[in-house]
Amino acid sequence: MNDHRNQLGQTVGFPVPGWTARPRPPREAMDGRYVRLEPVNVDAYAAGLFEAFSSDREGRIWTYLPYGPLASMEETADWMRKTCLGDDPLFHAIIDKASGKPVGMASYLRIEPAVGVIEVGHINYAPALQRTRGATEAMYLMMARVFDELGYRRYEWKCDALNAPSRAAAERLGFSYEGLFRQATLYKGRNRDTAWYSIIDTEWPRIKAAFEAWLNPANFDADGRQKQALRARA
């Protein structure tokens, strides 16, 4: 229960003493055990990303994104130049460290340094990245930058309410469901109801520990199967 009151006796939010605006995410790589995230470089990664995304023959990875499928390397490069080089969204290519190849993308967006709120989005995992340790580590690295390095208070995940895999991923990764925004937007000629999720700073230490336990090589057997599932919300 909130027991904070102002001089008029009205209930108000808890104080946040000493708060100052947080830095914007830097254009610097995030390096993990399995993947490295690098700010998008069109010349370096357009061809590799097109190749990785093209292995999804049915185009399932594009269904819930507002763009795509991308039909050629040239179209991929052109889209990247128009969409991925700004500061918000701040796009990153996800590089598989074993192969050195780009296997996905993700971005920070709706960045609000003054109040310490930031969103993760534009997540697009090629088949080679899906359901791998690197897929989970990429999200962990982005969270760690937000909370540990930059000191933000809130990290958001939003998706089409009909995107069942995205909703399941948010919950597995420790996000809490906050509600449904009906008819929030339109894309690809159809309605989108948006599901909202978040992690806040006080939850991060527990979630971080769950990630680190899951990502530990000791959590996997000789065939790469996990011994214990990620329980970031336990």
Side-chain angles (χ1 to χ4, degrees), residues 1-6 8-13:
M1 177 177 292
N2 188 342
D3 58 0
H4 298 283
R5 295 180 180 274
N6 65 10
L8 301 174
Q10 298 166 306
T11 304
V12 296

Side-chain angles (χ1 to χ4, degrees), residues 4-216:
H4 298 283
R5 295 180 180 274
N6 65 10
Q7 67 275 17
L8 301 174
Q10 298 166 306
T11 304
V12 296
F14 64 83
V16 185
W19 173 260
T20 58
R22 309 316 302 151
R24 298 187 67 85
R27 288 185 173 275
E28 297 174 0
M30 293 171 269
D31 197 43
R33 180 180 283 114
Y34 308 110
V35 296
R36 183 176 67 258
L37 280 72
E38 297 186 354
V40 162
N41 181 313
V42 178
D43 293 336
Y45 298 130
L49 284 168
F50 172 68
E51 179 182 359
F53 291 149
S54 294
S55 65
D56 172 23
R57 303 299 183 188
E58 296 180 315
R60 288 178 177 268
I61 60 175
W62 302 103
T63 299
Y64 298 107
L65 290 170
Y67 40 77
L70 301 171
S72 66
M73 190 279 285
E74 291 76 17
E75 184 177 341
T76 301
D78 184 60
W79 170 79
M80 290 172 69
R81 291 188 189 97
K82 293 176 179 177
T83 309
C84 303
L85 300 181
D87 294 325
D88 189 351
L90 178 56
F91 276 83
H92 292 75
I94 303 170
I95 313 302
D96 174 63
K97 293 184 73 170
S99 68
K101 295 181 178 181
V103 288
M105 301 182 79
S107 75
Y108 294 123
L109 68 156
R110 301 185 187 276
I111 303 165
E112 298 186 58
V115 294
V117 177
I118 193 168
E119 181 179 341
V120 61
H122 297 282
I123 300 168
N124 194 356
Y125 283 4
L129 181 59
Q130 294 171 15
R131 304 182 69 85
T132 66
R133 280 176 265 186
T136 297
E137 186 181 55
M139 293 296 98
Y140 163 73
L141 291 170
M142 293 186 75
M143 290 185 201
R145 169 156 287 179
V146 164
F147 289 117
D148 292 339
E149 180 181 336
L150 302 177
Y152 278 65
R153 302 179 67 232
R154 174 180 168 87
Y155 192 56
E156 298 179 337
W157 176 296
K158 304 185 185 103
C159 63
D160 190 315
L162 298 176
N163 187 348
S166 182
R167 298 188 68 163
E171 295 187 5
R172 173 179 175 268
L173 296 170
F175 289 83
S176 295
Y177 177 62
E178 294 185 327
L180 181 72
F181 282 51
R182 299 178 300 165
Q183 296 187 191
T185 190
L186 294 164
Y187 72 119
K188 291 182 174 175
R190 60 181 187 253
N191 176 66
R192 172 172 140 165
D193 296 345
T194 297
W196 283 52
Y197 295 82
S198 76
I199 295 171
I200 58 175
D201 54 358
T202 55
E203 298 165 340
W204 171 239
R206 169 183 53 79
I207 292 169
K208 178 181 180 180
F211 270 110
E212 292 181 347
W214 188 87
L215 288 165
N216 191 313

